[in-house]
Amino acid sequence: MSIFEPGEGTLVVVPSLSLPQDELRRITGARCYEERLLFLLLTLREPAVKVIYLSSAPIDPAIVDYYFGFLPDPEEAAKRLTLISLDTPDAQPLTRTLLSRPDVLEQLRAAIDGDAWLVPFVLSELEEELASLLSVPLYGPATSHAYYGSKSGSREIGVEAGVPMARGFRDLYTLAEIEDAIESLPGERLIVKVNDAYSGLGNAIVPRGDLGGTSFAAEGETWETFAEKVRERGAVVEEFIEHRPLYHPSALARISPGGQYEVVATHDQVLGGPNNHVYQGCTFPAAPEYRAEVGDSATRIAGALAAKGVIGLFGMDFFAMKTDAGYAALLCEINLRIGGTTHPYGAALLTTGAAYDPASGLLVADGRPKYYTATDNCSADCLRGGTPEQVLRKADRLGLGFDHATRTGNVFHLLGAIPEHGKFGFTTIADSREQADELHRQTRRALCG
């Protein structure tokens, strides 16, 4: 089973942001991130595949038509797509609202025909309850395995898999434990990370002996609010990697329900924010200097998780640095969910028809490697009040769309955030790293100013 290339059956896509809502509110247009999984509409190119896609608010028909434009027979594919909106954009997360709506649950049951998989953005007890009510298996790690996707659990799996990590301590729940850990580690700065935070928003950099000088990744965070999160959710303290230059690669892996596992991609992450810890986008593949090291560590981690019964698609973040012996990759964390690199990879794979070559770490289509650069954060005030259709028309007029003959160009996402937030994302696919970066810059300048 692969959510990227299913041969048959129904994908019940539940892109619910079942995550800590306090951090989610800090992301501009967070609800629209439900649309990041719309690349799964491209699986409808297979005539035996059906897709049921749920959302908190109706998806603009122009966005759906845009994805259908990548398919060989859009009209036929449209017959195998069911869109179900709860029409409650402010009620989050989506799955919790869905469980309170028996009318929509009945509509969803009626739409499921034959073999199906429930594909969640993140798997929580809410999604498990929904799958049980629908009698549909889940494609994702069970909540009984959720610990291994926390910062503390990542360190435990890292030890089991024998992969390098920064020195640190896990499973800390009090300020006193954090202070003791800080005193026990080397360096003038340490990093504290809340167990189940995401996008770097649960991180704090602490100068040794000066809690008052702490730099929090989340705007408006204080030690009072941060300590409460630590008490509720736990944290790790690790040495702060001062090495420069420091790179931030990641890996995507997949574990099948039968226990087979494989790494399907490596990326370099583009980070921003106050401490350069907040995910902004990515480039594929990871740089050749450390690509093999990242892939090897990711494979060992996937093996350790498969042995515990984990299934589904998940990501791993690393640090990479040059040493006297070459390049080293250190595990940063494991994200047992669909992450920020998933939709660019899925879009590139399904629009180009490429296959991942584990030996080279490249996507290859008709003997040619494919590279891409992706962002979730192309924004401009002038876009606010506009429509997805206007942006797509402008992209086509400027030659910034997707060329089906060369299998290069831009694939757009998060288009539903344009009217209210003036924001969208896009993945730029090309035949070289330089071409992908240059076209990405041109597109950003032309569409976002």
Side-chain angles (χ1 to χ4, degrees):
M1 166 66 185
S2 165
I3 64 168
F4 293 129
E5 299 177 288
E8 60 182 359
T10 300
L11 299 184
V12 182
V13 185
V14 185
S16 177
L17 304 177
S18 302
L19 296 160
Q21 297 297 298
D22 57 337
E23 289 164 21
L24 197 63
R25 283 189 287 270
R26 301 177 189 273
I27 298 176
T28 301
R31 184 198 58 76
C32 298
Y33 279 62
E34 291 176 1
E35 294 185 10
R36 289 203 298 187
L37 296 191
L38 282 172
F39 77 88
L40 288 171
L41 270 57
L42 303 181
T43 63
L44 290 167
R45 68 183 182 183
E46 294 294 333
V49 170
K50 298 179 181 179
V51 173
I52 302 170
Y53 201 100
L54 288 104
S55 60
S56 299
I59 297 170
D60 188 324
I63 298 175
V64 178
D65 289 344
Y66 169 69
Y67 284 100
F68 279 162
F70 289 93
L71 302 177
D73 190 345
E75 290 187 9
E76 199 280 329
K79 299 174 184 176
R80 291 180 281 112
L81 171 65
T82 302
L83 296 174
I84 299 178
S85 168
L86 275 66
D87 292 315
T88 52
D90 296 327
Q92 295 295 324
L94 183 157
T95 307
R96 184 172 62 197
T97 307
L98 175 59
L99 289 169
S100 69
R101 294 280 302 276
D103 57 327
V104 182
L105 285 171
E106 190 53 43
Q107 182 185 359
L108 179 53
R109 280 195 192 92
I112 297 172
D113 179 23
D115 292 337
W117 285 87
L118 195 151
V119 182
F121 172 75
V122 60
L123 204 159
S124 72
E125 292 176 354
L126 296 171
E127 284 70 38
E128 287 186 328
E129 182 179 350
L130 175 62
S132 177
L133 286 171
L134 297 173
S135 299
V136 172
L138 276 159
Y139 185 75
T143 56
S144 58
H145 297 130
Y147 175 75
Y148 302 119
S150 71
K151 307 300 186 292
S152 293
S154 297
R155 292 194 64 83
E156 181 176 315
I157 291 296
V159 171
E160 288 187 23
V163 301
M165 293 182 290
R167 288 169 287 190
F169 297 90
R170 60 183 173 89
D171 295 317
L172 308 177
Y173 287 88
T174 69
L175 191 56
E177 289 176 331
I178 286 175
E179 289 176 326
D180 287 345
I182 288 173
E183 289 304 313
S184 302
L185 290 170
E188 292 306 308
R189 293 192 291 174
L190 291 303
I191 184 166
V192 186
K193 299 188 284 189
V194 175
N195 263 342
D196 61 351
Y198 51 92
S199 294
L201 291 171
N203 294 356
I205 297 176
V206 185
R208 182 176 297 281
D210 181 19
L211 287 181
T214 298
S215 175
F216 296 99
E219 185 179 351
E221 192 83 86
T222 66
W223 265 113
E224 182 179 2
T225 59
F226 193 77
E228 181 61 28
K229 293 177 183 177
V230 172
R231 280 192 294 272
E232 292 177 357
R233 292 142 62 181
V236 301
V237 173
E238 297 174 343
E239 60 180 323
F240 185 81
I241 307 298
E242 302 282 4
H243 193 286
R244 297 294 181 273
L246 185 65
Y247 306 97
H248 303 275
S250 67
L252 271 177
R254 181 170 58 214
I255 304 175
S256 74
Q260 292 81 25
Y261 60 90
E262 60 181 336
V263 173
V264 298
T266 63
H267 296 89
D268 275 314
Q269 298 180 90
V270 179
L271 303 178
N275 297 318
N276 202 39
H277 287 170
V278 179
Y279 180 82
Q280 302 288 317
C282 66
T283 62
F284 171 92
E289 290 84 357
Y290 44 78
R291 189 186 306 159
E293 285 73 14
V294 170
D296 178 65
S297 288
T299 299
R300 283 187 276 167
I301 292 166
L305 290 168
K308 295 182 181 298
V310 172
I311 67 168
L313 191 78
F314 63 97
M316 295 152 275
D317 295 341
F318 295 84
F319 297 116
M321 64 196 79
K322 189 174 184 180
T323 68
D324 292 339
Y327 280 82
L330 305 180
L331 174 64
C332 177
E333 64 186 47
I334 300 168
N335 297 302
L336 280 186
R337 56 177 171 80
I338 289 175
T341 61
T342 307
H343 55 286
Y345 177 74
L349 196 75
L350 293 171
T351 56
T352 65
Y356 181 70
D357 175 23
S360 64
L362 296 173
L363 280 174
V364 180
D366 293 334
R368 297 177 65 96
K370 295 294 180 182
Y371 299 76
Y372 58 82
T373 302
T375 182
D376 284 339
N377 293 281
C378 188
S379 60
D381 287 340
C382 63
L383 292 174
R384 251 188 213 101
T387 67
E389 190 172 14
Q390 288 170 338
V391 171
L392 292 171
R393 268 207 230 108
K394 183 175 181 180
D396 283 340
R397 189 171 66 249
L398 297 174
L400 300 173
F402 188 81
D403 187 324
H404 293 267
T406 63
R407 306 186 201 186
T408 61
N410 289 303
V411 182
F412 296 95
H413 61 269
L414 278 180
L415 291 162
I418 291 172
E420 184 177 354
H421 305 286
K423 172 182 176 178
F424 65 93
F426 62 100
T427 300
T428 307
I429 305 166
D431 293 331
S432 73
R433 167 84 280 126
E434 295 75 20
Q435 289 175 7
D437 287 343
E438 178 55 30
L439 179 56
H440 195 80
R441 283 190 291 268
Q442 290 177 12
T443 304
R444 187 183 282 274
R445 284 195 300 267
L447 300 181
C448 303

